[in-house]
Amino acid sequence: MSGSKTLLYLLFPCFAFLFSCKSKNQLPDHRDITLLRNKGYNLRFTDTTKSLAYQQTALIIAKKENKAEEISISYALLSLFYKKKFQTNKAQLYADSSYYLAAQLKSSRAMGYAYMATGLLNSFFSETDQAINQLILAYQNFRQPGDYANMARVASEISNLYADKDAVKQKKYVTLALNAAAKTNSEDEKLYVRLSYGNFLIAEKRKNPFLSADTAVNYFKETIRQIEKHPDQIYTKSNMAVPYLNLAVLYFENPFPGSEPLFLQQLDQALVIARQYNIRNVYRNSLGLKGEYYIQKKDYTTAGRLFKEGIAYQEAMPYHDYYTLSQFYAAMKKLAILQQDYKSYELYDRGFMKYNAFEYNEATAKALQNADVRFESSQKAKMIKTLEKENKLQRSNKWFGYGTAFLLAIGLLFMFRSYYFRQKYYIQNETIFRDQQKNAELRLQLEKLQTAAATSEKLSIERRLLQSQINPHFVFNALGNIQSFILQNDTRNAVLYLAKFSKLMRQILEFTTREFIPLKDEIDSLRNYIELQQLRLNNSFDYTIIDQGIEAGISIPPMLIQPFVENAIEHGLKPLPATKRGDLQLAFSLTENNTYISCTLTDNGVGINFSMSNKVKNKLEYQHRSMGTLITKERLTSEGSIYGFSIDEMKNDQGQISGTTAVIKIPFIKV
């Protein structure tokens, strides 16, 4: 394969990596590539930030030392990392790069990782048959160097894919996984394999009701004993809770005298581990199973409390699991029917319909995204095959020309000597021209892909920006206040509130379609938003906006400041005691060297530390994280390194917290 094509396959991950690294000084100081990469891979479930930093550092070192095999393996593990983060474009890009580099090296170890990354990605896209074929190739490549840990992992994945398809092959590959795991020292891989075999035992019991459940029960008890021997060596913490949950399922599906305490004991232990390590799927499944148990016991009060706890847990998460929420609301509907509480049934049915619709829309969007990624990958594969065929044809033509020229040279060496060298010169020029034309076409394809990626990222940020600006709680509170004014016959305030609210909605929807807006429009939008908050909070605070010294014609990116204003009001001014009146100040100024607009936001609220401690006092286990400030950070960072923001607490002369100050450095243009 030519050097230009290699550059094409390896250049995309390099760009993504360079943009994601802030500076080399932030990377861990470690030179062992394998140890560094494995440490990052083990942290993928507990600390994604450190996991990415370790893996990227391993990639940097591999590139500096020009170790192509280690580069290919790093690409494969980065693909698995981004698959877990649901960033399928990056995952596909790194998987392709790993495969193309490994194919050039003809390294079984590198090919094993490449096939594993590609197979797991196809499994994520529900392309089961392709995933199985690629994972089998991965297993065969790992078997050559005797990589038993990866053999165990891959064989387990194959077994899981054969579940509900072919029980014989499921048992075959899980047995291979057990044999490979016995030859490795990785407790993490051993546990993963044991869980796969446990799933097989549960499936066998469900298929054959006359089969005793003792085999599966004893197997999971032994698995729990092994976990308790080496808890520190289990990096995939979610797997620690699964045996307890599966054991509870077995007791639930196969009851016997005295099984109820055992069922509750295992379920409670699964909940403890789920809370400790924030394992969402185990937590919600345990709550759901426990609720079903109490429904069977006709303890509807306890079952309802568990389902409501599950709903509150899901709604407190930054990103909602709409499927789980719809299932919890469906369970509450079932309870309402059993209790003949038809008023509550109507309420829970609305919640079910809302989240069921959200889940459908989310699933549709994910399917479209995955389809786009797969289409792009297939098109790229077709392009690569076409280029390979052209190269083969070109090489074949070249050797044919050389052979013909050689035969002619033997018979007509002196007669056609001048003609031969002239013809050779033409052929070489033609080859150079074709190579140049091919390089130009590849550069054009690269520019198109970069443009498409940049456009996709921009649209993603704009979509998330719109979602963060139209805060559901703010919208619901605003509508509730309008309803309250109407019920109180306060027509003036209802009309005023509705006018400001509709104006704000129009501004937000209009601004998200524009990259820059006049500063006065941004200030007008902020003033409208703050006055709505004043009405909502019974005018419990004052505000001032200062924009002196800024000439007309200045435009800035829209809606950068609103998330900070929202945080200042909700977390700074709103918790103030009734005896203290809140004050909010915004000051805009242009720096002396005209490099950026500075916006200083000051409030006399309770401060950052008090707000966080207040949440701890209220025992909120899962804290809300501001999406708006995260998106603002992305937007400002993408503009250039001099832009950004800082948030600090203010203290008075006695050292007491007197409020919070946020300084935002904003890019601008002159119109």
Side-chain angles (χ1 to χ4, degrees):
M1 188 174 291
S2 66
S4 61
K5 198 180 302 179
T6 304
L7 179 62
L8 173 65
Y9 300 149
L10 303 183
L11 202 54
F12 293 111
C14 294
F15 285 136
F17 172 73
L18 290 174
F19 282 111
S20 62
C21 292
K22 295 182 180 178
S23 66
K24 293 182 180 179
N25 296 330
Q26 293 178 338
L27 298 173
D29 184 13
H30 206 300
R31 301 298 298 178
D32 191 330
I33 298 175
T34 303
L35 180 61
L36 199 61
R37 187 172 55 233
N38 290 341
K39 184 180 291 186
Y41 185 73
N42 292 334
L43 289 172
R44 67 193 185 280
F45 292 104
T46 55
D47 192 334
T48 56
T49 302
K50 285 186 178 179
S51 173
L52 182 60
Y54 278 121
Q55 294 194 54
Q56 288 177 338
T57 305
L59 180 59
I60 286 179
I61 297 173
K63 288 183 176 181
K64 284 185 177 179
E65 297 178 358
N66 198 25
K67 295 181 177 180
E69 184 182 71
E70 300 297 332
I71 294 173
S72 176
I73 296 173
S74 294
Y75 285 160
L77 294 183
L78 282 168
S79 173
L80 298 179
F81 174 86
Y82 283 112
K83 179 184 76 70
K84 176 186 173 297
K85 299 286 287 182
F86 298 101
Q87 299 182 24
T88 52
N89 285 312
K90 289 185 178 180
Q92 185 70 61
L93 201 59
Y94 278 112
D96 290 345
S97 300
S98 174
Y99 175 80
Y100 299 139
L101 184 55
Q104 286 183 348
L105 299 172
K106 297 181 179 179
S107 163
S108 59
R109 181 166 170 259
M111 286 301 300
Y113 277 96
Y115 278 124
M116 180 174 68
T118 307
L120 293 177
L121 196 56
N122 279 322
S123 173
F124 178 79
F125 291 137
S126 300
E127 296 178 359
T128 307
D129 292 335
Q130 293 185 27
I132 289 175
N133 293 334
Q134 288 160 346
L135 290 174
I136 290 175
L137 291 173
Y139 179 87
Q140 294 171 350
N141 278 278
F142 283 133
R143 186 169 57 186
Q144 294 185 21
D147 190 344
Y148 296 111
N150 280 317
M151 287 169 63
R153 169 71 65 166
V154 170
S156 297
E157 294 289 353
I158 298 172
S159 173
N160 294 335
L161 290 173
Y162 272 122
D164 301 327
K165 287 176 59 107
D166 191 328
V168 175
K169 290 185 178 179
Q170 181 188 9
K171 184 177 181 180
K172 170 188 173 182
Y173 281 100
V174 79
T175 303
L176 290 175
L178 287 171
N179 294 336
K183 300 177 183 179
T184 179
N185 296 324
S186 173
E187 297 297 329
D188 199 50
E189 299 297 340
K190 288 180 180 179
L191 175 58
Y192 189 84
V193 172
R194 287 190 66 86
L195 293 179
S196 296
Y197 190 76
N199 292 336
F200 168 74
L201 293 177
I202 292 176
E204 286 292 296
K205 176 64 182 71
R206 288 172 176 169
K207 291 177 183 177
N208 186 359
F210 300 102
L211 190 67
S212 173
D214 292 342
T215 302
V217 169
N218 293 331
Y219 183 84
F220 281 109
K221 286 182 178 179
E222 177 61 26
T223 302
I224 291 172
R225 282 193 290 270
Q226 293 189 16
I227 291 175
E228 293 173 348
K229 288 181 182 179
H230 311 283
D232 296 333
Q233 298 181 28
I234 306 299
Y235 303 110
T236 312
K237 299 301 182 184
S238 60
N239 289 342
M240 296 176 63
V242 173
Y244 295 99
L245 182 58
N246 286 345
L247 200 53
V249 170
L250 287 169
Y251 288 139
F252 184 76
E253 295 179 351
N254 306 276
F256 59 87
S259 65
E260 289 187 4
L262 295 173
F263 163 78
L264 294 174
Q265 178 184 358
Q266 302 304 321
L267 206 55
D268 290 339
Q269 185 62 31
L271 284 169
V272 168
I273 298 175
R275 291 191 186 100
Q276 180 180 358
Y277 297 106
N278 192 21
I279 309 170
R280 290 175 289 179
N281 57 341
V282 174
Y283 183 78
R284 66 184 181 230
N285 291 340
S286 300
L287 283 179
L289 183 59
K290 201 170 185 180
E292 289 295 328
Y293 165 79
Y294 281 108
I295 288 178
Q296 289 188 3
K297 302 291 290 183
K298 296 186 178 180
D299 186 352
Y300 301 141
T301 302
T302 304
R305 178 180 56 80
L306 290 169
F307 292 144
K308 289 177 181 178
E309 181 182 348
I311 292 173
Y313 166 74
Q314 288 296 330
E315 291 183 339
M317 297 299 293
Y319 302 99
H320 292 169
D321 186 338
Y322 298 127
Y323 172 77
T324 302
L325 279 167
S326 65
Q327 294 305 304
F328 274 126
Y329 273 105
M332 293 300 295
K333 287 170 56 180
K334 178 181 177 182
L335 274 178
I337 293 175
L338 292 173
Q339 296 175 310
Q340 296 184 353
D341 184 358
Y342 300 109
K343 183 178 180 180
S344 298
Y345 176 88
E346 181 182 0
L347 176 65
Y348 297 138
D349 185 63
R350 287 199 299 267
F352 170 78
M353 295 298 292
K354 180 179 74 171
Y355 288 114
N356 192 47
F358 285 165
E359 192 274 332
Y360 174 80
N361 293 335
E362 186 178 62
T364 303
K366 181 180 176 182
L368 290 174
Q369 180 188 14
N370 293 345
D372 290 340
V373 174
R374 301 307 298 159
F375 175 78
E376 180 182 347
S377 178
S378 64
Q379 291 297 106
K380 184 163 54 177
K382 290 180 180 178
M383 180 185 71
I384 292 168
K385 289 181 179 179
T386 302
L387 292 174
E388 289 177 348
K389 289 180 179 179
E390 290 180 357
N391 283 339
K392 288 180 180 179
L393 180 60
Q394 184 179 4
R395 288 194 296 268
S396 176
N397 291 338
K398 185 186 295 184
W399 285 110
F400 178 77
Y402 287 161
T404 302
F406 180 73
L407 292 175
L408 290 174
I410 293 176
L412 306 171
L413 179 61
F414 297 102
M415 185 182 296
F416 299 102
R417 184 175 180 276
S418 60
Y419 172 79
Y420 168 73
F421 283 107
R422 191 180 302 112
Q423 189 69 13
K424 184 178 180 181
Y425 173 76
Y426 290 154
I427 292 175
Q428 288 177 342
N429 278 351
E430 182 180 359
T431 303
I432 293 173
F433 176 75
R434 288 182 179 177
D435 288 341
Q436 291 175 346
Q437 185 178 12
K438 190 185 303 177
N439 290 336
E441 291 175 356
L442 291 176
R443 283 196 296 271
L444 180 60
Q445 293 292 334
L446 176 61
E447 291 174 359
K448 288 182 179 178
L449 288 174
Q450 288 175 333
T451 302
T455 303
S456 176
E457 183 177 1
K458 177 182 176 183
L459 291 175
S460 175
I461 292 177
E462 289 179 352
R463 182 176 64 254
R464 290 185 291 142
L465 173 63
L466 178 59
Q467 293 172 348
S468 69
Q469 297 304 312
I470 307 177
N471 189 312
H473 296 290
F474 170 72
V475 173
F476 295 153
N477 288 334
L479 294 176
N481 287 337
I482 294 172
Q483 183 184 26
S484 176
F485 285 139
I486 294 173
L487 293 175
Q488 296 173 8
N489 291 323
D490 190 350
T491 308
R492 180 181 176 276
N493 279 332
V495 172
L496 177 62
Y497 205 114
L498 183 59
K500 290 182 176 294
F501 178 72
S502 62
K503 180 181 178 182
L504 179 63
M505 293 299 100
R506 285 196 303 271
Q507 288 174 328
I508 290 175
L509 293 174
E510 178 186 357
F511 291 170
T512 52
T513 63
R514 297 160 59 185
E515 293 193 12
F516 284 88
I517 63 170
L519 178 60
K520 63 181 183 61
D521 290 348
E522 178 75 4
I523 293 175
D524 181 54
S525 174
L526 291 173
R527 183 176 288 110
N528 194 29
Y529 174 77
I530 294 171
E531 289 175 358
L532 275 173
Q533 293 284 35
Q534 279 185 318
L535 288 173
R536 185 173 72 87
L537 300 177
N538 297 321
N539 291 310
S540 61
F541 68 93
D542 301 317
Y543 80 95
T544 56
I545 299 179
I546 304 172
D547 60 344
Q548 297 178 354
I550 300 181
E551 58 187 280
I554 295 294
S555 294
I556 64 173
M559 296 183 294
L560 284 173
I561 307 165
Q562 187 269 345
F564 298 93
V565 175
E566 178 184 0
N567 286 341
I569 294 174
E570 290 294 328
H571 306 300
L573 299 180
K574 184 179 177 181
L576 283 174
T579 56
K580 184 176 180 181
R581 186 166 183 81
D583 182 62
L584 179 68
Q585 296 182 4
L586 281 85
F588 293 87
S589 62
L590 183 62
T591 56
E592 294 181 358
N593 51 3
N594 294 337
T595 54
Y596 57 83
I597 295 289
S598 176
C599 175
T600 303
L601 189 149
T602 307
D603 67 76
N604 65 339
V606 296
I608 302 172
N609 292 330
F610 180 85
S611 177
M612 296 302 295
S613 63
N614 190 38
K615 292 181 180 179
V616 174
K617 288 180 181 179
N618 292 330
K619 298 181 180 180
L620 297 177
E621 297 183 30
Y622 305 96
Q623 305 293 342
H624 171 72
R625 193 177 180 188
S626 174
M627 183 190 295
T629 54
L630 290 177
I631 296 175
T632 301
K633 184 177 181 181
E634 290 182 27
R635 296 176 68 201
L636 289 175
T637 302
S638 66
E639 297 291 344
S641 59
I642 64 172
Y643 308 121
F645 63 86
S646 62
I647 303 175
D648 300 296
E649 287 187 331
M650 299 186 300
K651 296 183 179 180
N652 56 23
D653 296 337
Q654 289 76 32
Q656 298 175 338
I657 302 299
S658 61
T660 306
T661 298
V663 179
I664 313 163
K665 299 177 180 179
I666 308 170
F668 71 93
I669 61 174
K670 290 184 180 181
V671 181

